[in-house]
Amino acid sequence: MIVTVRPAAALAGTPGLPADKSIAHRSAMLAAIADGESEIVGFSDAADPASTVACLRQLGVRFETRDDVLGADGTPSLFVTGRGLAGLTEADGPLDCGNSGTTMRLLAGLLAGLPFRTTLVGDDSLS
C-alpha cells in the first residue's frame, strides 16, 4: 500500500489539552507575581496545585474560580489577581505545601529573594 501525505491547505480549531499539574504550579506562580489579572483556563484540580494556590493565598494573592469558562476537560477557569513580585506579603504562619514537592521547590526559589522570612512545611513524607 502506498500512501501520499500532502500539506493541508489550512488548519482551524482550538486544541483541547487536559489540565497538567506541572504547568498549573508554574502558571499560578507566574500569575501571582504578574501585575493585574490573569486567566488560567483548564487549571488542574489536583491536590498538588491546590497546595500551591493555598500558599500563594497566604502571601496575599487573590484567586477566583469561574465556571463560565471551562478547559477542554471541563475544569473551570482560575482568575488570579497578581500583585507583582514586590507585592507579595509575609504570611501569618508557615506555608503548608502538603505533599507537593513541586510546590516546596518552586516556592523556595520564588521567595528566596524577598525581604521577609518564610517557613515552608509539608506532610510527613515531604518534611
Side-chain angles (χ1 to χ4, degrees):
M1 172 197 267
I2 297 175
V3 176
T4 303
V5 178
R6 292 186 171 68
L11 183 62
T14 303
L17 303 173
D20 179 88
K21 288 192 319 180
S22 180
I23 293 171
H25 290 288
R26 289 158 174 82
S27 63
M29 288 185 194
L30 290 172
I33 62 172
D35 292 317
E37 188 174 75
S38 298
E39 177 184 3
I40 305 171
V41 178
F43 188 82
S44 174
D45 60 357
D48 287 0
S51 291
T52 295
V53 168
C55 290
L56 291 169
R57 278 191 169 118
Q58 283 185 261
L59 296 167
V61 181
R62 190 171 148 260
F63 291 87
E64 177 187 0
T65 301
R66 293 211 1 225
D67 295 324
D68 58 330
V69 181
L70 303 177
D73 62 352
T75 307
S77 283
L78 182 66
F79 288 83
V80 185
T81 304
R83 301 178 55 96
L85 183 58
L88 297 179
T89 58
E90 186 172 359
D92 291 338
L95 300 180
D96 186 356
C97 300
N99 189 37
S100 177
T102 302
T103 298
M104 186 169 281
R105 284 188 302 276
L106 295 178
L107 275 179
L110 181 70
L111 298 170
L114 295 181
F116 52 80
R117 187 179 180 109
T118 304
T119 301
L120 300 172
V121 298
D123 69 5
D124 289 341
S125 66
L126 187 59
S127 295

